[in-house]
């Protein structure tokens, strides 16, 4: 790490606010660092918990609420759109008022909205409160990233994002398994009862253990207009926008899998909710494992841009293979080859996601909350658009899922190469 008072930006050291204390050193400091890591991991785990625990119940919800699959998939889209829009509000708020107060307010509203989802009598009401759930849950996503930017810089930030992926990655591994087991003893409403309890526990942990990381002298005093000007300045930075779009489109390819896989695995290939949960967990293990390879082995030895390029290239190849298999080019294929393609695609996200976040946030030490909001909003909005497209041809074909994934992968790689221009990163100043 550079000395206090300096920041690292792709090899350049420039003046900035004093650096936060490292989490190493004394045992007490390491203990505080571990505690903060666990809390931030819990906050970033909340979105996959909210999404993935509910996935095995999607076919059941279509029957229980007498709604078509496309309508039920909108419950995912609504939650995702809420998380996207909520970040635009909460990110600048956290730059103005600090991280702690907006986070606690968002968590309380999340708990209330989730409790109402468990009681929803119609698909329309469920969609509405899933939207509110997403709006409130956005606080945990955007503020967790901003706290990381408050505490870390440079290579250390990239490593921390990979560590955070290990913790938060446990959520998509266990969430469908928990959801599948819940469905053994109760109906889909029980999933939201469990999420409500998790939200209450996480709110208490945040209140009790997560201190403020943005000191008053580093806060922005402006209102909405100042926040919009800050975001406009961030978007005017070509390289930041390139990383934002590349990460958002890669996330959309992942969310196309999340939205379509319950129907692909259970309806098309006839697997049980428990088998689907097992496959989903294996894919999440692949993502976490590659994320740890990125953080422990690649970061510091290979440039972040090179690792990111590998990840995006593998995602593209896996999406192409899935399209060829699902469209019948290789004849009738079973679940195993398709599951293998999805495993490769998911695993490569472990290279794409932490590195796009780290590269983008390294350029924005002056507005971490607003930058985090833009990163999250772009990802969730593009994902919300991708979600209903995967079901456009009905429940009995996986071709739309593969088409959406391939399109997103191509566009993501194009944005990375065309806007970030990684081959010139060593020649350009990267601050904005």
């Amino acid at each position: 790490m550079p000395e206090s008072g300096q920041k690292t930006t792709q090899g350049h050291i420039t003046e900035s606010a004093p650096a936060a204390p490292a989490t190493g050193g004394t045992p007490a400091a390491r203990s505080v660092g571990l505690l903060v890591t666990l809390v931030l991991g819990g906050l970033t785990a909340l979105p996959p918990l909210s999404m993935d625990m509910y996935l095995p119940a999607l076919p059941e919800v279509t029957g229980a609420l007498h709604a078509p699959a496309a309508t039920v998939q909108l419950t995912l889209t609504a939650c995702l759109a809420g998380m996207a829009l909520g970040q635009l509000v909460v990110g600048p708020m956290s730059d103005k008022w600090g991280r702690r107060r907006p986070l606690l307010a968002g968590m309380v509203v999340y708990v209330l909205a989730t409790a109402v989802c468990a009681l929803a009598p119609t698909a329309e009401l469920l969609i509405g409160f899933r939207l509110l759930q997403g709006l409130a849950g956005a606080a945990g996503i955007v503020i967790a990233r901003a706290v990381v930017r408050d505490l870390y810089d440079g290579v250390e930030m990239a490593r921390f994002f990979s560590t955070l992926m290990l913790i938060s990655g446990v959520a998509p591994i266990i969430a469908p398994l928990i959801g599948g087991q819940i469905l053994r003893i109760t109906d889909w409403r029980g999933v939201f009862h469990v999420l409500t309890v998790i939200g209450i526990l996480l709110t208490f942990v945040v209140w009790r253990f997560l201190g403020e990381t943005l000191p008053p002298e580093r806060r922005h005093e402006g209102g909405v207009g100042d926040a919009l000007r800050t975001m406009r300045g961030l978007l005017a930075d070509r390289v930041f926008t390139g990383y934002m779009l590349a990460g958002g489109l890669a996330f959309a390819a992942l969310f196309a899998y999340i939205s379509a896989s319950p129907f692909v695995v259970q309806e098309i290939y006839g697997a049980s909710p428990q088998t689907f949960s097992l496959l989903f967990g294996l894919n999440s293990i692949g993502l976490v494992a590659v994320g740890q390879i990125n953080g422990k082995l690649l970061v510091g030895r290979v440039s972040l841009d090179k690792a990111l390029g590998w990840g995006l290239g593998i995602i593209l190849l896996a999406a192409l293979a899935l399209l060829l298999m699902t469209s019948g080019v290789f004849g009738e294929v079973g679940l195993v080859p398709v599951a293998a393609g999805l495993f490769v695609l998911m695993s490569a996200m472990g290279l794409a996601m932490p590195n796009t976040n780290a590269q983008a946030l390294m350029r924005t030490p002056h507005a971490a909350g607003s930058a985090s909001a833009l990163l999250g909003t772009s990802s969730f909005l593009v994902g919300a658009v991708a979600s209903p497209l995967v079901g456009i041809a009905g429940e009995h074909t996986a071709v739309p899922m593969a088409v959406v994934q391939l399109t997103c992968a191509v566009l993501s790689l194009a944005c990375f190469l065309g806007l970030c221009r990684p081959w010139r990163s060593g020649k350009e100043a990267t601050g904005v």
Side-chain angles (χ1 to χ4, degrees), residues 109-133:
V109 177
Y110 172 88
V111 170
L112 296 175
T114 305
V116 176
C117 285
L119 306 174
T122 66
E124 291 74 18
L125 193 60
L126 181 59
I127 290 170
F129 277 94
R130 286 282 280 175
L131 176 65
L132 181 59
Q133 184 191 42

Side-chain angles (χ1 to χ4, degrees), residues 35-417:
L35 189 59
V36 170
T37 301
L38 293 174
V39 174
L40 295 180
L43 291 172
T44 54
L46 193 59
L49 280 175
S50 301
M51 294 286 184
D52 302 342
M53 194 183 295
Y54 174 63
L55 291 178
L58 281 179
E60 180 183 323
V61 175
T62 60
L65 298 182
H66 307 290
T71 299
V72 172
Q73 282 176 325
L74 287 176
T75 63
L76 293 176
T77 302
C79 187
L80 198 64
M83 289 179 181
L85 297 175
Q87 291 182 70
L88 285 178
V89 177
V90 178
M93 284 174 58
S94 74
D95 281 340
K96 181 178 181 180
W97 292 317
R99 314 303 186 198
R100 183 174 165 82
R101 284 187 293 169
L103 176 57
L104 286 172
M107 292 301 302
V108 170
V109 177
Y110 172 88
V111 170
L112 296 175
T114 305
V116 176
C117 285
L119 306 174
T122 66
E124 291 74 18
L125 193 60
L126 181 59
I127 290 170
F129 277 94
R130 286 282 280 175
L131 176 65
L132 181 59
Q133 184 191 42
L135 287 168
I141 309 168
V142 67
I143 291 178
R145 273 197 305 265
V147 169
V148 173
R149 187 61 187 91
D150 293 340
L151 299 177
Y152 296 95
D153 203 353
V155 168
E156 289 301 320
M157 182 166 56
R159 287 200 175 106
F160 191 88
F161 274 126
S162 292
T163 301
L164 211 59
M165 180 172 289
L166 172 62
I167 299 171
S168 62
V170 173
I173 295 171
I174 66 173
L177 297 173
I178 295 173
Q181 296 308 310
I182 291 173
L183 293 178
R184 285 182 176 271
I185 59 176
T186 184
D187 61 8
W188 62 271
R189 297 181 189 276
V191 174
F192 288 106
H193 289 307
V194 173
L195 285 172
T196 301
V197 173
I198 292 173
I200 292 171
L201 293 175
L202 187 55
T203 302
F204 172 77
V205 169
V206 169
W207 172 76
R208 180 67 178 82
F209 297 110
L210 185 62
E212 181 58 64
T213 60
L214 186 67
E217 63 271 16
R218 290 174 55 193
R219 298 178 189 175
H220 295 181
E221 295 301 326
V224 175
D226 183 66
L228 292 176
R229 283 191 293 273
T230 298
M231 289 185 178
R232 186 168 61 245
L234 293 172
L235 291 174
D237 175 16
R238 168 180 54 79
V239 181
F240 172 85
T241 300
Y243 287 123
M244 180 189 72
L245 292 176
L249 288 161
F251 180 83
L254 181 149
F255 197 76
Y257 157 75
I258 292 175
S259 182
S261 59
F263 298 97
V264 171
V265 174
Q266 296 179 70
E267 300 295 329
I268 297 176
Y269 292 101
S272 67
Q274 289 71 37
T275 299
F276 162 73
S277 300
L278 177 62
L279 291 175
F280 196 94
L282 289 174
N283 290 340
S284 300
I285 290 173
L287 187 152
V288 171
V290 174
Q292 292 314 290
I293 292 172
N294 177 72
K296 305 299 183 183
L297 299 180
L298 298 183
V299 170
R301 296 179 175 87
V302 177
S303 74
L304 299 185
D305 279 336
K306 184 175 290 186
L308 173 57
W310 289 347
L312 294 179
I314 294 171
I315 291 170
L316 191 153
L317 292 175
L320 177 60
L322 284 167
L323 179 59
L324 294 175
M325 286 188 286
T326 57
S327 61
V329 172
F330 301 130
E332 291 293 330
V333 297
L335 177 59
V336 173
V338 172
L342 291 171
F343 177 82
V344 173
L345 186 145
M346 280 283 284
S347 298
M349 295 291 173
L351 292 175
M353 293 168 64
N355 291 325
T356 51
N357 283 334
Q359 289 287 67
L361 287 172
M362 271 195 282
R363 302 178 63 82
T364 59
H366 58 290
S370 295
S372 178
L374 287 173
L375 289 172
T377 297
S378 62
S379 296
F380 282 85
L381 279 180
V382 178
V385 172
S387 175
L389 295 179
V390 300
I392 200 169
E395 306 170 28
H396 305 295
T397 175
V399 171
M401 177 192 72
V403 169
V404 171
Q405 289 174 328
L406 181 59
T407 301
C408 291
V410 170
L411 292 175
S412 177
L413 189 59
C415 289
F416 173 58
L417 296 176

